Amino acid sequence: MARILITSAIPYINGIKHLGNLIGSQLPADLYARYLRGRGNEVMFLCATDEHGTPAELAAAKAGQPVAEYCARMYEVQSDIAQRFGLSFDHFGRSSSTQNHHLTQHFAGRLADAGLIREVTEKQVYSNADRRFLPDRYIEGTCPNCGYERARGDQCENCTKQLDPTDLIEPRSAISGSTDLEVRETKHLYLRQSAMSDQLDKWIDSKTDWPVLTTSIAKKWLHDGDGLQDRGITRDLDWGIPVRKGDEDWPGMEGKVFYVWFDAPIEYIACAAEWAEANGKSDADWQRWWRTDKGADDVRYVQFMGKDNVPFHTLSFPATILGSGEPWKMVDHLKSFNYLNYDGGQFSTSQGRGVFMDQALEILPADYWRWWLLSHAPESSDSEFTWENFQQSVNKDLADVLGNFVSRITKFCRSKFGEEVPEGGAYGEQEEALIADLTTRVRAYERHMEAMEVRKSAQELRAIWVAGNEYLQSAAPWATFKTDPEKAAAQVRLGLNLIRLYAVLSAPFIPFASARMLEAMGVSDTTWPEDVAASLSMLAPGHSFAVPEVLFAKITDEQREDWETRFAGTRD
């Protein structure tokens, strides 16, 4: 049994996330976590809300609530939606937790003691219209590198180039749109990332199994232009973690908070401490996941995120961890994703573009979305959500292949043998050939899942479903029954056992349908099919089952057309 620590990029608190956010981190992380648990491994799957910074302040102001109250309310909303999507976090935390306050201040103190933080008197953009300093991400303009017109002052979403606000062409306030901006002096702390660039470069070179997307983005930041730059870790804001040097005050930094990019990744660690407190555990229980001197030396740590988060997780967060000089667990594998686009453009929370998680669940159950998103995951390139493709995939994969198989075999058995597994007959050449084929396919499915090849895993799972359908069509127990009821009984017995097998294999992708299949078969045993032949004899003759309701209803053309109109890409 292995021990695997899994984190997915933590979502901003400012509103409900869209399907692009979901497939970019949380959903594939859940797929991997569910698979590993299904194989008997010890898994710690952590996520949280990212609650600090200007996005939270502005969203709270728009909602007419104090920022702390707004964050508490939105945490409950996001937590509820995550549960309804079947995201199986061991803990869903909050970056505003006392644990994250303590750890963020602790890391800042360690970095300062190591000479990796410097004070900088800098000029920062102030918006007269908004009467406030503007964080880099709340200054918009045209990217000097690629010409994208909505580039932010910290990074261009389009080409991922790291920017400063002064680099932008025709900068404006993203809050008010005002161009009445001026530059004022203010003092801030900077993390001396440049001093660690060689160490980070060697560390990234050691990750030979990382996706090309991950390493190419990291290398670009390390080597483009003047190389990796020092980065501010404090801001002139009211809401956030107060700047302290460990447990001590930090002279000259009164009234300032840590920049959200600095404290948000530290929340991965703090989240484990929150998990321990919530479950009556000790510090040792969470430290065995995060401290290599306290039991985490045998942990494999895997992160999931969209490509826009890669620089912070390959460079800035590792610089914090390495720079502390303490034995914290470093990431072993970073699985990054491209963008899921919508209707010829990008999903965007800030622009209200696309289908959002709460809206999706109002239309259809979570498994419909989980299957489509995972089977179309933007791994090697951006992918596109269209309603036509969604309808086609749901109808062909879920309704026609899996749902149809479950319906046909259970209804036929009920009509000829009653609602229990029939006895009699024995498996013949056709059944042995199916078992051999399924054994090969299940082993391939396992390899793809272990390698976090999401699309290939989905393709192999679908092929496993198809194999059962093709067997049923070829064996035709409804025809066999007329001449050889005993043989038909064996065919049906195999078919019913396939439902249990499919439920176990499919649980990482479609957990709710999987649970319904197991319930219909009257079993709770989810033992992984290490031996496929043995697994296909677990439901013995005489075992009772029920014919389930339709697993997946087809999407009609009328529904698709209605949704195309209803979700034309905007949200109030």
Side-chain angles (χ1 to χ4, degrees), residues 75-271:
Y75 168 78
E76 295 299 332
V77 170
Q78 290 200 15
S79 180
D80 173 65
I81 293 174
Q83 288 178 3
R84 287 192 282 140
F85 256 102
L87 302 177
S88 60
F89 305 127
D90 287 283
H91 191 73
F92 188 59
R94 302 181 60 184
S95 70
S96 60
S97 69
T98 55
Q99 289 87 347
N100 199 37
H101 276 61
H102 171 75
L103 275 169
T104 298
Q105 293 164 344
H106 168 79
F107 275 110
R110 294 287 304 186
L111 291 165
D113 291 343
L116 291 170
I117 288 181
R118 61 188 178 95
E119 291 189 9
V120 176
T121 299
E122 64 178 9
K123 294 179 177 178
Q124 196 169 331
V125 175
Y126 186 89
S127 169
N128 289 301
D130 300 303
R131 289 186 293 195
R132 63 183 294 163
F133 282 104
L134 292 179
D136 295 349
R137 64 178 290 112
Y138 274 82
I139 305 165
E140 287 185 344
T142 301
C143 175
N145 185 53
C146 71
Y148 180 58
E149 293 181 353
R150 298 198 60 147
R152 299 195 306 252
D154 59 349
Q155 184 183 0
C156 176
E157 280 185 352
N158 189 54
C159 68
T160 76
K161 185 174 179 63
Q162 183 178 0
L163 298 170
D164 285 316
T166 52
D167 296 332
L168 294 174
I169 300 166
E170 298 180 355
R172 61 191 177 275
S173 166
I175 302 170
S176 61
S178 172
T179 57
D180 183 13
L181 309 178
E182 65 177 72
V183 176
R184 294 186 181 181
E185 280 195 351
T186 183
K187 186 185 289 186
H188 283 293
L189 301 178
Y190 270 61
L191 176 61
R192 296 182 58 229
Q193 295 184 142
S194 59
M196 301 189 68
S197 59
D198 289 346
Q199 189 177 357
L200 290 166
D201 211 3
K202 290 176 184 175
W203 176 69
I204 290 165
D205 283 341
S206 73
K207 304 300 180 183
T208 55
D209 63 339
W210 280 14
V212 172
L213 177 64
T214 301
T215 52
S216 63
I217 291 173
K219 288 290 188 177
K220 187 177 180 181
W221 277 53
L222 274 168
H223 299 297
D224 271 14
D226 296 327
L228 187 62
Q229 300 297 299
D230 295 347
R231 196 162 180 81
I233 63 168
T234 58
R235 279 292 177 264
D236 292 298
L237 295 173
D238 297 325
W239 174 246
I241 297 175
V243 176
R244 291 178 65 84
K245 189 181 294 183
D247 296 327
E248 301 172 6
D249 291 334
W250 204 312
M253 292 293 121
E254 296 81 8
K256 298 181 189 289
V257 299
F258 285 109
Y259 195 0
V260 63
W261 77 257
F262 182 70
D263 83 76
I266 295 170
E267 168 58 19
Y268 295 137
I269 305 173
C271 187

Side-chain angles (χ1 to χ4, degrees), residues 266-424:
I266 295 170
E267 168 58 19
Y268 295 137
I269 305 173
C271 187
E274 293 170 51
W275 162 83
E277 181 180 296
N279 291 280
K281 307 279 189 181
S282 67
D283 285 347
D285 288 311
W286 73 261
Q287 289 172 348
R288 67 187 286 267
W289 289 99
W290 278 108
R291 296 275 304 207
T292 57
D293 61 337
K294 297 186 178 180
D297 50 329
D298 64 345
V299 168
R300 176 169 165 77
Y301 177 22
V302 183
Q303 294 176 342
F304 289 80
M305 70 198 61
K307 62 184 177 184
D308 54 329
N309 277 316
V310 167
F312 296 104
H313 290 76
T314 54
L315 301 170
S316 299
F317 185 41
T320 299
I321 298 293
L322 290 169
S324 74
E326 296 178 322
W328 297 100
K329 177 64 188 173
M330 298 283 290
V331 66
D332 294 297
H333 191 86
L334 196 155
K335 174 72 173 181
S336 55
F337 291 84
N338 288 283
Y339 293 135
L340 174 67
N341 295 322
Y342 179 85
D343 192 27
Q346 288 185 351
F347 278 85
S348 171
T349 300
S350 60
Q351 298 173 44
R353 180 178 177 78
V355 184
F356 291 72
M357 289 171 69
D358 59 335
Q359 297 170 328
L361 292 174
E362 289 170 10
I363 298 173
L364 289 168
D367 283 345
Y368 291 69
W369 301 104
R370 288 177 65 106
W371 173 254
W372 189 90
L373 290 166
L374 290 165
S375 61
H376 294 77
E379 290 177 289
S380 57
S381 62
D382 290 355
S383 59
E384 178 96 6
F385 177 90
T386 69
W387 288 104
E388 186 175 354
N389 183 280
F390 178 65
Q391 177 193 26
Q392 184 181 55
S393 181
V394 164
N395 290 356
K396 287 190 173 181
D397 300 346
L398 299 179
D400 286 346
V401 180
L402 180 60
N404 184 53
F405 176 84
V406 172
S407 178
R408 287 174 79 190
I409 195 66
T410 53
K411 287 179 178 177
F412 175 73
C413 184
R414 180 174 63 183
S415 69
K416 301 301 182 185
F417 300 101
E419 291 192 4
E420 60 180 40
V421 179
E423 61 181 342

Side-chain angles (χ1 to χ4, degrees), residues 5-79:
L5 172 64
I6 300 170
T7 61
S8 60
I10 67 177
Y12 272 130
I13 198 73
N14 62 331
I16 293 164
K17 303 299 106 176
H18 56 65
L19 297 183
N21 294 131
L22 182 61
I23 189 55
S25 58
Q26 292 175 322
L27 189 54
D30 180 70
L31 176 79
Y32 190 55
R34 285 179 175 274
Y35 167 74
L36 291 172
R37 291 192 195 106
R39 298 300 303 277
N41 298 293
E42 186 182 2
V43 172
M44 176 64 78
F45 178 23
L46 302 172
C47 191
T49 43
D50 185 357
E51 300 188 10
H52 295 137
T54 304
E57 287 189 354
L58 296 181
K62 185 177 180 181
Q65 287 183 293
V67 65
E69 287 182 20
Y70 171 82
C71 288
R73 178 173 67 84
M74 285 309 302
Y75 168 78
E76 295 299 332
V77 170
Q78 290 200 15
S79 180

Side-chain angles (χ1 to χ4, degrees), residues 421-434:
V421 179
E423 61 181 342
Y427 293 168
E429 287 186 12
Q430 197 171 9
E431 289 70 36
E432 296 301 333
L434 174 64

Side-chain angles (χ1 to χ4, degrees), residues 364 368 390-391 394-395 553-557 559-560 563:
L364 289 168
Y368 291 69
F390 178 65
Q391 177 193 26
V394 164
N395 290 356
K554 285 195 172 185
I555 296 172
T556 66
D557 290 343
Q559 286 176 309
R560 187 202 73 215
W563 296 335

